[in-house]
Amino acid sequence: MKGSPKIRWPSWLDAWPALVGFFFFAWIENVFPGGSRPYSLAWVIVTYSLITWIGMFLFGKYVWLKRGDPFSVLFALFARFSPTEVRVAKGGNKNVCVICISGCSANAYEKSDLQGCVDCYECWELADDAHKEFSIRPWAVGLSRGERVSPAVVAFHITALASVTFDGFSETPGWVAIQTLLWPFVDPIPGSAIQTIESLGILLVPLLFASVYILLCGRVSRLSGGEMPQGEVIRSFAFSLVPIALAYNLSHYLSFILISGQQIIPLVSDPLGTGLNILGTAEYVPNIGIIDARFAWIVSVTSLVAGHIVSVYVAHTISLRRTSNHIKAVKSQYPMLALMVFYTAISLWIVAQPLVN
């Protein structure tokens, strides 16, 4: 087959390389002192690009992007919230899914509730035009499709959720207090004490999130009367946290995008910093008053509450698919509801810190 990979991706490797890559970029953003220097970032981008090209050449582009590339895995998670999907219609996906090497939704997850092959771009490329469908769907429907994803994907999603939370928490007085507490123990270690503490934070916060999630999934399993084994709950309900993650990302980065994003305006006229003024915008000064604290708070509260509501709905929908009656579905969701309320409250507290301090 044209474009066949040179090396077959080991099944045990799953998407763990993508998780390692995500940890690396999270460390660059939150800890690495050169994370804001163009020269350092240029080398990071070049290295990342080389690894991506080599990975796609050796393992095939779809396999690498689905299991080895951190950004593709992250955006695939977030894309499940979108109102669009590509699908190889049922009846036309039999042959292409058999030869799909990236692990499509129709054959990678046992007991899948999917009708047809959804959002697998390898199958989409291989399928006949008559069986290709581009569909419009309600927002967030893609989060409750019924797959039991792999442990690596669950770990990746929890890490993505935890890392952006840590990014916000690291700017609060609470984190300063933790740094002060740990300083006497870390200071004797060679190297920067601040970077060591930040590195521990970026590593331990996802582990804390994962521990709480696994613990509550066990409780969900018990409340379902054993109809949902704990492993199935862990692998099925990870997507229910995506709306809250999206809402928190919006809240956390809104000011940054609207204010720092204005730097694009002068850069389009002088992209290389050589003194050009191609479009006459090189002298533009960003307007830091484009949003105020009140507007930022309203958007943050609205998005986080809306994300919480959608997450509860997604979790309830998944539960209805897995239990024999509505009462069990509702009861089993009490622990997940508590988790979502707690995370939403923590997110609101973090977002509010720059406004009250």
Side-chain angles (χ1 to χ4, degrees):
M1 183 173 61
K2 183 179 178 180
S4 296
K6 306 297 184 291
I7 303 174
R8 186 174 183 84
W9 188 271
S11 58
W12 58 267
L13 201 54
D14 198 22
W16 295 112
L19 177 60
V20 173
F22 186 85
F23 260 118
F24 172 73
F25 281 105
W27 184 84
I28 291 289
E29 178 188 4
N30 292 282
V31 181
F32 181 51
S36 59
R37 292 199 297 264
Y39 180 81
S40 301
L41 287 178
W43 276 109
V44 170
I45 293 171
V46 169
T47 303
Y48 163 73
S49 299
L50 289 174
I51 292 174
T52 300
W53 293 329
I54 293 172
M56 289 192 293
F57 174 76
L58 293 177
F59 300 104
K61 61 180 180 180
Y62 292 113
V63 172
W64 178 259
L65 293 177
K66 195 166 188 176
R67 301 183 183 181
D69 181 67
F71 296 110
S72 293
V73 175
L74 178 66
F75 294 143
L77 285 171
F78 288 168
R80 290 170 176 266
F81 188 83
S82 74
T84 61
E85 68 179 19
V86 295
R87 179 189 296 263
V88 179
K90 190 175 183 180
N93 66 322
K94 181 177 180 180
N95 293 328
V96 294
C97 288
V98 168
I99 61 176
C100 173
I101 62 174
S102 64
C104 69
S105 55
N107 65 16
Y109 310 109
E110 69 272 17
K111 302 179 183 178
S112 176
D113 298 328
L114 291 175
Q115 298 297 316
C117 181
V118 180
D119 285 342
C120 178
Y121 293 96
E122 182 179 3
C123 290
W124 173 266
E125 181 178 301
L126 295 172
D128 297 331
D129 290 342
H131 295 110
K132 293 181 179 180
E133 297 178 357
F134 180 82
S135 305
I136 304 296
R137 64 190 182 190
W139 294 90
V141 164
L143 297 171
S144 57
R145 294 193 309 219
E147 301 103 322
R148 285 76 156 172
V149 297
S150 68
V153 175
V154 174
F156 187 98
H157 179 48
I158 292 175
T159 301
L161 188 65
S163 63
V164 71
T165 304
F166 174 76
D167 186 21
F169 179 67
S170 64
E171 300 173 3
T172 67
W175 179 245
V176 174
I178 293 175
Q179 287 180 317
T180 303
L181 179 66
L182 295 178
W183 189 276
F185 304 98
V186 177
D187 191 42
I189 301 175
S192 170
I194 289 292
Q195 292 180 32
T196 301
I197 296 173
E198 297 281 350
S199 298
L200 288 173
I202 203 70
L203 177 64
L204 295 179
V205 169
L207 292 177
L208 176 62
F209 270 56
S211 300
V212 173
Y213 177 72
I214 292 171
L215 178 66
L216 291 179
C217 284
R219 186 60 181 164
V220 169
S221 176
R222 288 190 291 273
L223 289 175
S224 72
E227 293 187 14
M228 295 187 292
Q230 183 178 8
E232 180 178 310
V233 175
I234 292 172
R235 296 168 61 197
S236 299
F237 283 82
F239 293 131
S240 66
L241 302 176
V242 168
I244 295 180
L246 286 170
Y248 183 75
N249 272 275
L250 174 62
S251 302
H252 183 64
Y253 292 111
L254 176 66
S255 298
F256 179 79
I257 292 173
L258 293 182
I259 296 176
S260 298
Q262 296 178 62
Q263 295 288 354
I264 295 175
I265 298 174
L267 284 174
V268 294
S269 287
D270 187 16
L272 301 178
T274 56
L276 295 175
N277 194 4
I278 300 173
L279 301 178
T281 61
E283 303 299 324
Y284 177 82
V285 178
N287 176 17
I288 62 174
I290 192 171
I291 62 170
D292 56 19
R294 181 174 180 271
F295 176 80
W297 176 246
I298 291 174
V299 172
S300 297
V301 171
T302 302
S303 62
L304 285 169
V305 171
H308 168 80
I309 293 172
V310 176
S311 287
V312 170
Y313 168 77
V314 170
H316 183 65
T317 301
I318 295 173
S319 184
L320 286 174
R321 292 173 179 265
R322 301 284 172 257
T323 53
S324 57
N325 60 69
H326 187 267
I327 295 177
K328 283 187 177 180
V330 172
K331 287 181 62 178
S332 68
Q333 285 311 292
Y334 291 157
M336 200 62 66
L337 177 62
L339 173 63
M340 292 175 183
V341 170
F342 177 75
Y343 182 73
T344 301
I346 290 294
S347 300
L348 287 171
W349 178 80
I350 292 174
V351 170
Q353 292 308 295
L355 306 179
V356 299
N357 290 291

